[in-house]
Amino acid sequence: MRLDKFLSEKYPEYSRSMLASCVKSGRVRIDGEVATSPAKTVDESQKIEFQQPAKPDFSGSSLPIIYEDDNVLVINKPAGVLTHAKGNFTEEFTVAEFVKKYWPQSSSNRAGIVHRLDRGTSGVVVVAKNQETAGFLQKQFAARKVKKTYIAIVNGTPREVSAKIDLPIARNPKKPAEFKVDAKGKNAVTFYQVLATNEQGESLIELKPETGRTHQLRVHMQYLKTPIKGDVVYGQAADRMYLHAKSLEITIPGSPNQRKIFKAPEPPGFTKGFNV
């Protein structure tokens, strides 16, 4: 079988992409020779040695906290930070790694994670600190009882100042890491409103997703031919992806349970050039 598949079966704590990176960096030897390709065919008669990377110490790393109680932690995730890694091992700091110290008894690499933001998206992330709370919050996301508001800068201006986008989304079979509008996909609904425009032909918009499909806001805005600024997958590169989770309304456990609205301030310079 392929070397990366062989390694993923023997070392399930690592994601396959992580193992491929280890092969390319010279951490794997086959019969004493350094392997250079994760696609190389191997069999069990060969001696395969894997120099496992040391896990970094994230104990000194932190993230800005918006709110905390005995059950819930709310974070203002910076752009560029992953919500969680694919495998149990990661060489970079993630929201999930930060949460571990608040839920130390869990061995999961996604403990407390009940929803996610893409790496390039900043803003509000709600995290559970115990299993009962995790289930309580997850049910609200599944039932679409969580209200989310984003702001974004897009290239161009949508034809309508405000509208409801009701277009299903499916994975792109030609590019499995991407998604596209597809009649055979899962339903996806987004409400948007243009807040302002600038002299560079960009628009500041507010986005309210009713559903929570992967890449939903990014795909919907690309479909309108106004991709989010800095979206390297569905648009063009910039200094960051200009998508920010501004607020999130959800019920948190308590006596009695409380409906809360958590807000994350816009990153510095996010709306520079707009008269708002």
Side-chain angles (χ1 to χ4, degrees):
M1 65 177 71
R2 280 176 56 118
L3 175 59
D4 55 355
K5 187 174 188 298
F6 175 88
L7 291 170
S8 67
E9 291 184 359
K10 191 172 182 180
Y11 302 96
E13 65 271 29
Y14 297 90
S15 68
R16 195 159 168 177
S17 60
M18 175 68 183
L19 290 167
S21 296
C22 288
V23 173
K24 293 174 183 177
S25 63
R27 291 181 176 273
V28 180
R29 289 177 177 268
I30 303 173
D31 293 334
E33 298 291 328
V34 175
T36 57
S37 171
K40 183 176 177 61
T41 301
V42 297
D43 61 60
E44 293 183 353
S45 69
Q46 294 173 293
K47 182 181 179 182
I48 299 175
E49 301 169 276
F50 175 34
Q51 181 188 352
Q52 299 183 54
K55 190 166 186 176
D57 179 9
F58 297 120
S59 59
S61 302
S62 64
L63 291 170
I65 296 173
I66 299 170
Y67 172 88
E68 182 182 1
D69 62 23
D70 292 340
N71 300 305
V72 168
L73 187 68
V74 184
I75 295 164
N76 182 5
K77 186 187 87 66
V81 175
L82 276 177
T83 301
H84 59 75
K86 290 182 178 179
N88 284 331
F89 182 92
T90 178
E91 288 188 301
E92 67 175 299
F93 182 59
T94 66
V95 173
E97 284 294 327
F98 178 66
V99 173
K100 280 185 177 180
K101 61 185 176 184
Y102 296 91
W103 192 348
Q105 62 271 34
S106 176
S107 59
S108 170
N109 72 312
R110 301 185 185 185
I113 303 298
V114 295
H115 72 121
R116 62 182 291 275
L117 295 179
D118 293 334
R119 180 195 288 273
T121 305
S122 56
V124 181
V125 174
V126 177
V127 176
K129 295 169 72 174
N130 53 67
Q131 190 60 54
E132 185 178 358
T133 300
F136 181 80
L137 299 178
Q138 285 169 337
K139 287 179 181 178
Q140 294 179 68
F141 281 98
R144 300 179 186 173
K145 292 182 178 180
V146 180
K147 296 181 180 180
K148 296 170 281 185
T149 301
Y150 294 73
I151 57 169
I153 296 175
V154 301
N155 297 313
T157 303
R159 185 165 53 187
E160 303 294 335
V161 173
S162 62
K164 173 184 177 181
I165 307 170
D166 189 352
L167 296 168
I169 291 174
R171 192 176 294 276
N172 186 344
K174 295 181 180 179
K175 298 179 180 179
E178 299 179 17
F179 293 80
K180 65 175 183 175
V181 169
D182 188 328
K184 297 179 181 179
K186 296 179 180 179
N187 75 301
V189 178
T190 303
F191 295 87
Y192 79 83
Q193 180 173 355
V194 178
L195 303 177
T197 58
N198 65 15
E199 295 179 354
Q200 285 71 49
E202 300 168 339
S203 301
L204 177 68
I205 63 172
E206 182 180 79
L207 295 159
K208 293 186 177 183
E210 188 176 280
T211 52
R213 306 302 177 200
T214 303
H215 295 184
Q216 176 177 319
L217 302 180
R218 299 163 63 185
V219 171
H220 274 171
M221 297 318 297
Q222 179 207 37
Y223 188 83
L224 296 187
K225 296 183 172 54
T226 53
I228 294 173
K229 180 179 178 179
D231 187 341
V232 296
V233 176
Y234 303 104
Q236 297 179 336
D239 57 315
R240 65 156 290 173
M241 183 166 70
Y242 280 79
L243 180 60
H244 177 70
K246 184 179 180 179
S247 70
L248 186 147
E249 180 179 336
I250 193 169
T251 300
I252 62 173
S255 299
N257 295 335
Q258 304 172 65
R259 191 72 177 172
K260 292 271 193 178
I261 299 176
F262 300 109
K263 297 182 179 181
E266 300 160 7
F270 193 94
T271 59
K272 184 179 179 180
F274 290 94
N275 185 20
V276 291

